[in-house]
Amino acid sequence: DCNSGNVGCLMGIKNGLAGLATGPDYRGPVADRLYLPTADGGRAISDAVIETYALVNSARGLRGLAPARPKGGARCHFDLPGAVQGFVPDDAPESRGTLSVENVAGHSTCGQRTLALHYTGVAYGRPARAGTATFLTPDAARMPHYGLICSPTLYGGQTVRARVVADAGNASAVTCGLYLRSYRAEDARGLNHGPDALLEPGAETLLTWKVEQAEGEPIAEIGVETASDKRASGTVYVDYLTWDGAPDVTLTPPFTHGGARDLGARGWTRAWVDAVDHVWFGEGVRISQDRGTGMLIQGAREWTDYEANATIRPHLAHRTGLAVRVQGLQRYIALLLCDDQTLRLVKALDGETALAEIQYPWAHDQPYALRLQAEGNRLQAWVDGVLVLEAEDVDPALEGGGIALVCSVGRIDVDRVSVHPLRN
């Protein structure tokens, strides 16, 4: 629980990791997982290893040193002693009791350590799985006191890669593959399987999966599954598991089995970081902002080159529009319809800067299809299919980030929000 976690953190700060090796097991149940309070939703689901290297690289940057990037910058690299980076055995009935995880030395081609998956009693219909959270876990979703605000860290269109090695001492071959879980209609957690490979003892494979994501189904977990047609026990090692690339998603409510949209799906609505005064979710989104600027944010810092689309209908709004490379409430690039009948491409970073603007006679209660594209330092914006603004942003501070719907003092209706890789 929270109190146990706080005690463990204080003991670790005072006595180091060795201080946690005696007495109650503080590390095992937590499995390195960390939740960060931030409006940068894709940073909220994290772990102790990711944050360790964030601190280390901040210090290295101040000293003019290149960042440390174990195993080529893999998100889950397990290259610190004891690191499991959120990976825990699956507790589903068909897999319960089949697996334990352990950080061990060796079995890596580009680092020092790996995550060992020790499986036992695996047989037909009884796989062993270990996964790490990419969004709200069921326990986190039920937090009674502190509501966890976050976005998923993994989206459809991105590519997952994992190097897996079978222990040379295994008695038989075993099948290893990737899997994910996502929140579907009525907040059921569905299981999807990715590519797999048959591994003889001592063999290795690189699993690569370009993830497909159904509309409105936030991905909650990614992991490795071990299966066998015959009863088997042994060990496989995960050298690293990581993902990259631009998302390819439409952010609408999920479909039920009957073909209707589940407008009350909490998994979908909670994928948005709600920084507006009022929001209503339906087929689209309605936002109302009483004062100042409100933002409805989704996405991750790792998104770099992509395009965002949304159809926005303003109702007496002071300013409204679509933002990309969003890293919080004060860090973003936005295409804005402004009440002085201008269309502006602005950058928010230590204040707001207009990168480009034109006169644009827009009207209230009319829909406008906005498209904003970021590629390197080049920014391009379209309204209703017409290229209207272009600019360059040579400051590397906003190289990546999520997307947001922006509304200042007023109300807007938004339809069909989507994010895609850049078009050829």
Side-chain angles (χ1 to χ4, degrees), residues 41 135-144 146-152 155 183 187 216 218 264-274 281 296-298:
F135 184 45
L136 288 168
T137 64
D139 287 343
R142 294 191 295 267
M143 280 186 184
Y146 300 99
L148 180 58
I149 298 173
C150 63
S151 293
Y155 286 80
Y183 282 101
D187 295 329
R266 292 281 290 161
W268 176 68
T269 60
R270 292 194 64 171
W272 294 93
V273 173
D274 178 359
F281 293 100
L296 195 65
I297 307 168
Q298 188 164 168

Side-chain angles (χ1 to χ4, degrees), residues 85-346:
Q85 296 201 248
F87 275 79
V88 294
D90 185 25
D91 196 43
E94 70 273 17
S95 297
R96 188 175 300 146
T98 60
L99 190 75
S100 63
V101 301
E102 179 188 15
N103 182 282
V104 298
H107 312 285
S108 174
T109 59
C110 52
Q112 303 298 316
R113 310 186 70 84
T114 52
L115 183 69
L117 307 182
H118 303 298
Y119 58 91
T120 182
V122 167
Y124 181 78
R126 187 159 169 74
R129 301 189 192 105
T132 188
T134 57
F135 184 45
L136 288 168
T137 64
D139 287 343
R142 294 191 295 267
M143 280 186 184
H145 303 298
Y146 300 99
L148 180 58
I149 298 173
C150 63
S151 293
T153 58
L154 173 62
Y155 286 80
Q158 297 187 291
T159 299
V160 180
R161 296 178 178 85
R163 179 178 178 268
V164 183
V165 183
D167 190 87
N170 289 349
S172 60
V174 67
T175 298
C176 285
L178 297 172
Y179 77 91
L180 65 80
R181 282 195 169 90
S182 60
Y183 282 101
R184 298 179 177 174
E186 300 176 351
D187 295 329
R189 280 166 54 97
L191 178 67
N192 291 344
H193 290 90
D196 59 31
L198 182 67
L199 294 182
E200 298 289 343
E204 64 178 74
T205 189
L206 177 63
L207 299 169
T208 302
W209 186 13
K210 187 172 183 179
V211 175
E212 294 184 2
Q213 179 182 359
E215 288 187 12
E217 297 187 5
I219 297 172
E221 178 183 326
I222 185 72
V224 176
E225 179 180 276
T226 303
S228 176
D229 289 338
K230 299 179 180 179
R231 183 175 293 274
S233 298
T235 301
V236 296
Y237 305 97
V238 182
D239 188 2
Y240 59 83
L241 187 149
T242 192
W243 55 90
D244 55 27
D248 192 3
V249 291
T250 300
L251 303 175
T252 54
F255 286 101
T256 66
H257 290 298
R261 292 195 181 274
D262 181 4
L263 304 184
R266 292 281 290 161
W268 176 68
T269 60
R270 292 194 64 171
W272 294 93
V273 173
D274 178 359
V276 297
D277 289 330
H278 313 280
V279 60
W280 297 267
F281 293 100
E283 289 281 353
V285 178
R286 173 171 288 182
I287 296 170
S288 177
Q289 186 68 16
D290 297 334
R291 60 185 65 84
T293 298
M295 300 178 71
L296 195 65
I297 307 168
Q298 188 164 168
R301 184 74 66 95
E302 291 74 24
W303 296 5
T304 53
D305 297 342
Y306 64 90
E307 68 172 46
N309 301 266
T311 298
I312 296 180
R313 185 189 299 268
H315 302 274
L316 299 178
H318 175 56
R319 299 196 309 178
T320 182
L322 178 66
V324 298
R325 293 185 174 176
V326 180
Q327 299 177 2
L329 298 177
Q330 302 295 326
R331 298 170 63 92
Y332 57 85
I333 293 167
L335 174 63
L336 299 175
L337 296 163
C338 304
D339 62 358
D340 59 358
Q341 296 295 288
T342 61
L343 182 69
R344 291 181 184 145
L345 191 58
V346 304

Side-chain angles (χ1 to χ4, degrees), residues 1 11 51 53 109 123 161 238 319 347 368 372 392 395:
D1 59 19
M11 290 179 62
E51 299 312 313
Y53 278 93
T109 59
R161 296 178 178 85
V238 182
R319 299 196 309 178
K347 176 179 179 178
Y368 295 91
L372 183 54
E392 286 195 354
D395 185 347

Side-chain angles (χ1 to χ4, degrees), residues 1 4-5 8 11 17 19-32 82 101:
D1 59 19
S4 297
M11 290 179 62
L17 291 178
L20 300 179
T22 60
D25 179 14
Y26 286 108
R27 294 189 70 185
V30 175
D32 297 340
V101 301

